Amino acid sequence: MTDFASLTIEWGTVPDSITLLALMKQQLDITDSALDVELSMYVEMAGKSAERYIDNIIEQRDVVERFATVSQPIALRYWPTISLTSVEIDSVDVTSEYYLYFQTGMGWTVKNTNGSSRSSTFNQMDITYTAGFSDPIPADLGFAIVQSALSYKTGAAGGPVKRESIVGVGSVEYATGDESGGAVRVGQLPASAVAVLDQYKRIFA
């Protein structure tokens, strides 16, 4: 189960840190906890929307991929790939026969050719592995999620602001609704968030 509201970002050499929920409250000038449950919901919705948009995992967790047929090596869908949890073929645990290796932006699992021989004909292969960013997540990514959560909260359809920033994290420039013909959103994701999320989109099929 995900919990985007409790994820943190860090910046600076000390470093400073803040949770995504606290950052959203800061942006709204809210100092009490009366709306924490509601705001956490918006952050959760925004985090999941961001994951759908980039077609990747943000909050680190175990994922399961299923294969009906496979060629070696097996390209894993989600990145960053952290560790291999289990590999099952027709419900038989064969984890010891596989290991992970990496190239920039992608993780693979491959059968140890020095291991025992096994037929390549099977009904179902399930690979469980851990993927996503460890906490703290990248600061710009967290900022994009909060900007999206603010959009859910306010229901805004775009505005005149061309630059948004947070001290120590960075800033994003983007076209306003008037300058871009109104095409400043992807669903409920504001252009300021999309500009960041585009850098994290999964590019491998």
Side-chain angles (χ1 to χ4, degrees), residues 51-52 54-58 77-80 200 202:
E51 287 192 332
R52 286 192 296 270
I54 66 174
D55 192 19
N56 208 345
I57 295 292
I58 294 175
R77 180 181 180 87
Y78 298 111
W79 177 267
Y200 292 89
R202 191 173 63 87

Side-chain angles (χ1 to χ4, degrees), residues 2 4 7 44-63 65 75-82 103-107 129-134 137-138 141 145 189 196-205:
T2 56
F4 285 92
L7 292 179
E44 184 72 14
M45 292 165 63
K48 290 181 177 179
S49 291
E51 287 192 332
R52 286 192 296 270
Y53 178 75
I54 66 174
D55 192 19
N56 208 345
I57 295 292
I58 294 175
E59 184 180 15
Q60 190 174 111
R61 58 187 182 272
D62 279 353
V63 294
E65 288 197 66
L76 300 177
R77 180 181 180 87
Y78 298 111
W79 177 267
T81 307
I82 307 303
Q103 70 183 57
T104 301
M106 197 168 190
Y129 60 99
T130 303
F133 295 97
S134 59
I137 64 174
L141 191 52
I145 291 173
L189 299 174
V196 173
L197 295 174
D198 278 341
Q199 302 174 63
Y200 292 89
K201 290 189 77 170
R202 191 173 63 87
I203 60 174
F204 294 98

Side-chain angles (χ1 to χ4, degrees), residues 65 67-76 83-90 92-102 107-122 124-129:
E65 288 197 66
F67 301 87
T69 59
V70 67
S71 59
Q72 298 286 352
I74 305 163
L76 300 177
S83 61
L84 184 66
T85 304
S86 67
V87 180
E88 292 186 354
I89 295 179
D90 295 338
V92 177
D93 190 328
V94 293
T95 309
S96 61
E97 298 179 19
Y98 288 81
Y99 63 94
L100 285 174
Y101 73 95
F102 306 94
W108 303 76
T109 184
V110 65
K111 185 173 181 178
N112 182 352
T113 56
N114 294 320
S116 59
S117 175
R118 188 179 189 88
S119 172
S120 61
T121 302
F122 54 85
Q124 186 67 65
M125 182 180 200
D126 297 322
I127 301 178
T128 304
Y129 60 99

